[in-house]
Amino acid sequence: MKSIKKSTIIILIINLIIVTYWLINSQYFPVHDFTAGARVYELTQTVKDGQFPPRWSSNFGFGMGMPLFQFYAPLSFYLATILNLLGIPILLTIKIVYLISTIVGFYGAYLLGKKLINHLGGLITATAFTLAPYHALNIYVRGATAEYFALSFTPLSLYYAFNLIDNKNKTNSYLGLVLSLVAIYLSHNVTILTFMPFWFFIVFTYALIKKKPKQIVSNLLAQLHGLLISAYFLIPAFFQKSQTSALTLTQGFSQYNLHFLYFRQLLNPNWGYGGSILGIDDKMSFYLGIDLLLLSLFSTLLLFKKPYRKILALFSASLFLSVLATNFKTKFIWEVIPLADYIQFPWRFLGVASLSLSILAGFSMLNKKLKKNWLIILSIVIVLNGRFFRPEKLIEPSETYNPNPTYIQERMSTVMPDYLPSEVNWRDEEVPESLIKAKNKDTVINIVNNTSDLIQAEINTTKNDTINLNRYYFPNWQVTINNQTNSCQKSEDSRYLCQVNSGRSDLKVVWREKGINAYSNLLSLLALLSLAFISIKNKLKAKSS
């Protein structure tokens, strides 16, 4: 038992060193998505302002704000923000998030592989999953912090689901499944779309293989529980997206039909740091790993006639379908599936393919000859796949990972205009000279408060006047003049236009968790309390026994 634990820890440390070696410095590297630092900065400011749950970013949107955290899955940035509030620099918080993600992914893949195969199978599965080339792509090429974080919880979600079906430690398995599903739901919107259909397929098929179809119910309850806990984010994000420019996420460069793959690209190890384009000449690699494919093939051929053939067939089907989803030949399916546009890049299904491939590779440890040479096989997997975990070059982080309000307003707002009001053409926008501007030059405006969820100002004018409030419109803002809501209206440029009478007027702009937000928050609170109740009850039961 001690040798098993020791070998697992040693292999974990080796994986961590390989994945994070280039993160252990004060520098960073060029990535496609370099907004992570600004997101952490904004979320930290929002939390400091006392907005809970965090919804609004004040500095994105050219200083007029946008509901960034209402629509972009926030969990990985919650973690980074907690670290930042503890005094850790933003760049280091992002690196720590990658470290934690890697540990979670390795641990979950090991448990899953050990359950389905054996200890050595768990080590091969965990290493193959952790060092999957697609994960190197997410860290060192794309900078896809949220997606990498979400994918790290996918093995755990299957492990706990399988335990529920097998009636192993049922309450703990239920709690683990709910929490792992919540982690995925709150970590990355697109991973929900790419992974969850496969989760249902794999879990339901596993239940049928085990001849325990009734256990599907407990998994469905866990899914519902996870969805309800995540409701405060998921429901507003889905139903209020029409209030924003989110549709632009499916247009232009982000149209999925520009990013299908050719199968031969999955076998090409040529590594690049450029972008994804139409055709076969992408400047980034979508390599799956020849070694992993060969191990998976050996596993399938050597064991297919044995008791494991149904499980092998299940994950072979998962691998085949996820790979097929990246190919042009499935375009007709993409055209009829709701929300498929929001996946943007069909090659994102490589996250599912990498997990399926890792499990199939782990099954090689059921072959006696391969099992005797497990260390050689493990070394081959490490050497052939670990080489991709490196940046193009190291650079000084500058303002990108040590941002300030001006930098975000002027520079980052053009990079990420996704959640501005739908009527706004961001290309025509610029940072306004002031938060509040009066038509009458003699009007005196004294701003008392200006936070992410509250603006208060005293307005003194000698005659009736019109003021422009440079905060973008969103239904959750309540704007009042002297406690009257009928004095302000939405302007043509999706800001606020208010009428004030001569004398002193008090302007108050406050974010309200009302309507769909309030109902969603209540659902999440009740679901979270019920999960806590189940956990406490389980602990009390364990103590009494």
Side-chain angles (χ1 to χ4, degrees):
M1 193 69 175
K2 288 184 178 180
S3 61
I4 288 177
K5 187 176 181 180
K6 186 177 179 181
S7 62
T8 305
I9 293 173
I10 291 172
I11 302 303
L12 169 61
I13 291 172
I14 292 172
N15 276 267
L16 283 177
I17 291 172
I18 292 170
V19 172
T20 64
Y21 175 79
W22 291 100
L23 300 176
I24 308 172
N25 52 65
S26 61
Q27 297 173 296
Y28 208 53
F29 37 85
V31 290
H32 297 174
D33 184 355
F34 48 89
T35 63
R39 293 176 197 261
V40 176
Y41 178 88
E42 285 296 283
L43 187 53
T44 299
Q45 299 308 307
T46 301
V47 172
K48 285 181 177 179
D49 290 339
Q51 187 180 125
F52 186 82
R55 303 287 191 184
W56 190 265
S57 160
S58 294
N59 293 305
F60 274 105
F62 307 92
M64 291 174 280
M66 69 179 185
L68 174 61
F69 308 113
Q70 174 129 330
F71 294 96
Y72 192 92
L75 188 58
S76 60
F77 296 103
Y78 284 169
L79 177 57
T81 293
I82 291 170
L83 296 170
N84 189 226
L85 289 168
L86 293 174
I88 299 175
I90 287 176
L91 178 58
L92 184 54
T93 69
I94 296 168
K95 292 180 177 182
I96 293 173
V97 167
Y98 280 128
L99 173 67
I100 293 173
S101 302
T102 305
I103 294 172
V104 171
F106 181 94
Y107 178 68
Y110 170 74
L111 290 178
L112 181 60
K114 183 182 177 183
K115 175 180 177 57
L116 294 175
I117 311 159
N118 52 39
H119 166 63
L120 293 179
L123 290 181
I124 296 294
T125 298
T127 300
F129 178 76
T130 303
L131 300 183
Y134 184 66
H135 294 160
L137 185 79
N138 279 337
I139 298 175
Y140 288 103
V141 180
R142 298 180 59 219
T145 310
E147 184 172 348
Y148 184 74
F149 191 77
L151 288 173
S152 72
F153 286 92
T154 56
L156 277 175
S157 72
L158 291 178
Y159 169 73
Y160 287 121
F162 291 171
N163 272 355
L164 263 185
I165 291 169
D166 294 332
N167 280 316
K168 290 188 177 180
N169 206 347
K170 199 163 185 178
T171 303
N172 284 338
S173 296
Y174 181 86
L175 293 170
L177 177 55
V178 171
L179 291 175
S180 60
L181 290 172
V182 168
I184 296 170
Y185 283 128
L186 295 181
S187 292
H188 192 238
N189 306 27
V190 175
T191 299
I192 299 172
L193 299 177
T194 56
F195 175 69
M196 283 306 165
F198 282 89
W199 185 92
F200 282 102
F201 167 67
I202 292 170
V203 171
F204 282 27
T205 306
Y206 182 86
L208 294 176
I209 290 172
K210 293 290 185 173
K211 298 180 180 179
K212 295 180 179 179
K214 292 182 179 179
Q215 299 303 325
I216 292 174
V217 175
S218 57
N219 275 278
L220 288 176
L221 287 174
Q223 271 284 354
L224 178 61
H225 210 151
L227 284 167
L228 289 174
I229 291 175
S230 310
Y232 82 94
F233 167 75
L234 293 176
I235 293 177
F238 181 79
F239 287 102
Q240 289 194 310
K241 65 181 184 294
S242 60
Q243 299 282 347
T244 72
S245 302
L247 190 61
T248 60
L249 292 167
T250 69
Q251 299 170 351
F253 170 79
S254 298
Q255 295 178 71
Y256 68 80
N257 56 8
L258 300 179
H259 302 282
F260 282 111
L261 301 182
Y262 293 85
F263 288 133
R264 57 184 179 272
Q265 288 180 276
L266 304 176
L267 306 176
N268 186 354
N270 291 339
W271 202 254
Y273 294 87
S276 170
I277 59 174
L278 178 65
I280 201 169
D281 297 319
D282 298 275
K283 305 303 179 184
M284 56 194 284
S285 177
F286 304 105
Y287 182 57
L288 274 178
I290 290 292
D291 55 318
L292 301 179
L293 287 166
L294 288 175
L295 273 178
S296 300
L297 181 62
F298 289 154
S299 299
T300 305
L301 294 177
L302 293 172
L303 301 168
F304 203 73
K305 292 183 179 180
K306 297 183 179 182
Y308 299 97
R309 63 182 182 276
K310 291 182 180 179
I311 299 295
L312 283 166
L314 169 59
F315 285 102
S316 295
S318 174
L319 174 61
F320 173 76
L321 292 172
S322 56
V323 166
L324 191 64
T326 70
N327 191 266
F328 284 99
K329 298 183 185 299
T330 57
K331 183 180 177 182
F332 72 97
I333 299 176
W334 282 75
E335 290 173 347
V336 298
I337 295 178
L339 300 178
D341 288 0
Y342 287 94
I343 295 175
Q344 300 173 310
F345 310 109
W347 42 257
R348 277 176 156 156
F349 279 99
L350 293 181
V352 179
S354 296
L355 175 57
S356 303
L357 192 60
S358 301
I359 295 167
L360 290 172
F363 269 99
S364 63
M365 291 298 99
L366 288 176
N367 179 268
K368 291 182 179 180
K369 291 182 179 180
L370 294 177
K371 187 176 180 179
K372 286 181 179 179
N373 296 289
W374 72 271
L375 194 55
I376 295 174
I377 292 171
L378 187 70
S379 300
I380 291 172
V381 171
I382 289 172
V383 171
L384 292 184
N385 296 286
R387 59 190 168 133
F388 300 118
F389 287 83
R390 67 183 192 276
E392 181 182 18
K393 60 182 178 181
L394 291 176
I395 57 173
E396 293 302 321
S398 67
E399 288 180 306
T400 307
Y401 294 97
N402 187 25
N404 56 67
T406 301
Y407 176 77
I408 296 173
Q409 291 170 18
E410 295 179 352
R411 298 284 299 278
M412 301 305 291
S413 293
T414 60
V415 176
M416 193 171 61
D418 309 332
Y419 306 112
L420 298 181
S422 55
E423 304 91 346
V424 170
N425 182 355
W426 65 267
R427 293 176 180 82
D428 298 332
E429 294 293 89
E430 57 184 24
V431 179
E433 294 179 1
S434 58
L435 177 63
I436 304 171
K437 185 176 181 180
K439 188 175 181 180
N440 180 9
K441 293 181 180 180
D442 295 328
T443 297
V444 177
I445 300 172
N446 177 32
I447 297 176
V448 179
N449 276 307
N450 181 15
T451 65
S452 60
D453 61 346
L454 175 65
I455 297 173
Q456 289 178 298
E458 296 175 358
I459 303 168
N460 289 281
T461 179
T462 57
K463 58 182 179 180
N464 293 351
D465 199 2
T466 300
I467 63 166
N468 290 285
L469 172 62
N470 288 314
R471 173 134 304 183
Y472 279 127
Y473 171 82
F474 200 74
N476 292 84
W477 286 117
Q478 183 182 77
V479 185
T480 61
I481 299 287
N482 297 326
N483 296 320
Q484 299 297 314
T485 58
N486 56 2
S487 300
C488 300
Q489 59 186 8
K490 180 181 177 182
S491 63
E492 292 181 359
D493 54 5
S494 290
R495 303 174 203 181
Y496 289 93
L497 204 62
C498 299
Q499 306 298 324
V500 294
N501 297 323
S502 61
R504 171 177 165 166
S505 297
D506 292 319
L507 169 69
K508 187 175 183 181
V509 185
V510 61
W511 178 275
R512 299 290 189 192
E513 285 291 292
K514 59 184 180 180
I516 197 169
N517 281 37
Y519 294 122
S520 302
N521 292 344
L522 180 60
L523 285 174
S524 291
L525 178 61
L526 293 175
L528 192 59
L529 289 174
S530 66
L531 191 72
F533 174 77
I534 293 171
S535 177
I536 293 170
K537 183 180 178 182
N538 184 51
K539 287 182 179 180
L540 292 174
K541 185 178 179 182
K543 283 184 179 181
S544 62
S545 61

